[in-house]
Amino acid sequence: MRSKLFVPGGRPELFAKALAGAADALSLDLEDSVLDTMKAQARVHVAAFVASDEAREAAKLIIVRVNSPDGEYFEDDIRAVARDGLGLLNLPKIETAAALRQAVQAIEAAEQENGVATPIRLLVNIETPRALAHAAAIAVADPRVAGLQLGLGDLFEPHGIDRADRANVHAAMFTMRMAAAGAGIFAVDGAFADIDDTEGFMAEAGMARRLGFIGKSCIHPRQIALAHAVFAPSPEELAMARRVVAAAREASETGRGAFTVDGRMIDLPFLKRAQAIMATAR
C-alpha cells in the first residue's frame, strides 16, 4: 500500500474514477469530509460501493474511515459498512487500548448482525498526543489491528507544533513506527494537506520510508505518483532483495543456518525485509 487515496464519502460521483485510478488503496471517508447533515446519505453511498461487484473485483484495498467511536454516528456507520469484502476499517480518535477494545465490541456486534464471516481488520489513527503516548498498547489491544496511521495535522496543529521542523516530524514518526514494529503490524503515513507543495510531500514521505512506513495517504490524485516514486524499491534494493531470498533458499536446501550476501551476514530480520521489498515491487 504505497498510496492510499482519500475519497469523500459524500461524493459518490468520484468513487468509480478513484477505483480506476493508480492508487493502491482507496480510503472512503465518512468523518471529516462529510457534514453532519449529510452523514446518513454518505453512509448509504459508501455502503453500496463497498458491496458493489466493481469494488469487490478490483485489485485495490478498500478502506472506510468511520466516525469517532465516542460519537453519535459510529454505530450506524459500522452497521452499514461492516460487510464481507471490506479491506480495512479505519478508526479515528482512538486514544487508549481500552477505547479500542470498546470499539471492537461494537464492530463485532455489527459483524454478527451482517453475517460477516471473517473479522474485519482495523487501521487505527494515531492523531493526538494521548494516542501517541499509548500507541504501543493500542497496537496490541486486539488481534484485528493490522496497522497504525499517523495523522500529523491533528497531532500538531492544535498544539502549535511546527510541522515544517523535520525534527518534530521525525520524533512523531519514530514513536509510532516503534509501536507498530513492536506489535508486528504496518505503519502508514497520513495526509499532506498542501497539494501544490511537492517538495514538502516528498520530504515527509521520504522520511516515512526511511523509518519503515509502507506508504503515504494522498488527498489528491496528483500525489499518487509521488508516493509511488518514494515507496517503490529502487532497482538496487530489489536486486539485493532477490539475492538475499535466493541465498536463503539455497542455504535452507543445504542445511546451512547462517550465510552471507555481498559480505553481509544475513539472518531472519534481513530476510523478512528482503521478502517485503519483493512484495512491494510486485
Side-chain angles (χ1 to χ4, degrees):
M1 189 169 60
R2 302 163 299 171
S3 60
K4 179 169 68 65
L5 181 62
F6 175 87
V7 185
R11 299 284 305 280
E13 70 276 11
L14 299 178
F15 295 175
K17 183 177 181 181
L19 193 63
D24 291 343
L26 303 184
S27 182
L28 302 161
D29 182 53
L30 292 172
E31 193 203 16
D32 289 346
S33 70
V34 182
L35 297 173
D36 287 356
T37 55
M38 300 296 292
K39 296 286 190 187
Q41 185 176 356
R43 188 181 301 126
V44 171
H45 292 316
V46 170
F49 178 75
V50 169
S52 69
D53 291 339
E54 292 78 11
R56 288 173 177 270
E57 294 169 3
K60 290 187 188 296
L61 183 65
I62 305 298
I63 304 167
V64 175
R65 181 172 74 170
V66 294
N67 285 276
S68 171
D70 62 1
E72 62 180 298
Y73 304 109
F74 176 68
E75 292 194 6
D76 286 338
D77 284 351
I78 58 175
R79 276 198 296 267
V81 304
R83 307 280 177 175
D84 287 322
L86 178 62
L88 289 170
L89 191 65
N90 183 202
L91 294 182
K93 308 302 186 289
I94 294 291
E95 293 192 306
T96 65
L100 188 280
R101 287 191 287 267
Q102 185 173 354
V104 166
Q105 290 179 356
I107 294 167
E108 288 174 341
E111 289 172 337
Q112 291 176 4
E113 182 179 326
N114 294 338
V116 175
T118 304
I120 297 168
R121 299 184 306 157
L122 304 178
L123 173 61
V124 182
N125 288 359
I126 302 299
E127 51 191 343
T128 69
R130 191 179 185 202
L132 189 60
H134 289 270
I138 291 170
V140 297
D142 190 272
R144 62 174 72 213
V145 177
L148 301 179
Q149 176 173 276
L150 186 61
L152 287 174
D154 287 306
L155 182 64
F156 284 178
E157 288 298 327
H159 310 288
I161 300 172
D162 187 357
R163 188 168 176 172
D165 188 326
R166 300 283 185 254
N168 294 341
V169 175
H170 185 276
M173 283 186 176
F174 182 80
T175 300
M176 196 195 80
R177 178 68 181 100
M178 288 296 98
I185 61 178
F186 68 80
V188 63
D189 197 15
F192 189 82
D194 190 343
I195 297 168
D196 295 324
D197 185 3
T198 299
E199 182 179 345
F201 180 96
M202 295 288 280
E204 204 165 272
M207 181 180 291
R209 186 183 190 278
R210 291 190 297 275
L211 286 169
F213 284 59
I214 65 168
K216 187 167 180 62
S217 298
C218 303
I219 60 170
H220 192 280
R222 293 209 313 259
Q223 294 178 329
I224 296 170
L226 303 179
H228 289 184
V230 171
F231 287 96
S234 68
E236 294 77 17
E237 289 174 317
L238 185 56
M240 179 62 177
R242 285 171 173 158
R243 290 199 297 275
V244 168
V245 170
R249 187 182 303 114
E250 180 182 351
S252 176
E253 291 172 351
T254 58
R256 289 182 291 121
F259 59 95
T260 62
V261 175
D262 296 350
R264 175 185 295 179
M265 179 64 72
I266 302 298
D267 57 9
L268 186 58
F270 286 98
L271 175 58
K272 286 185 175 180
R273 176 59 182 159
Q275 291 168 335
I277 288 172
M278 290 179 65
T280 300
R282 287 193 295 271

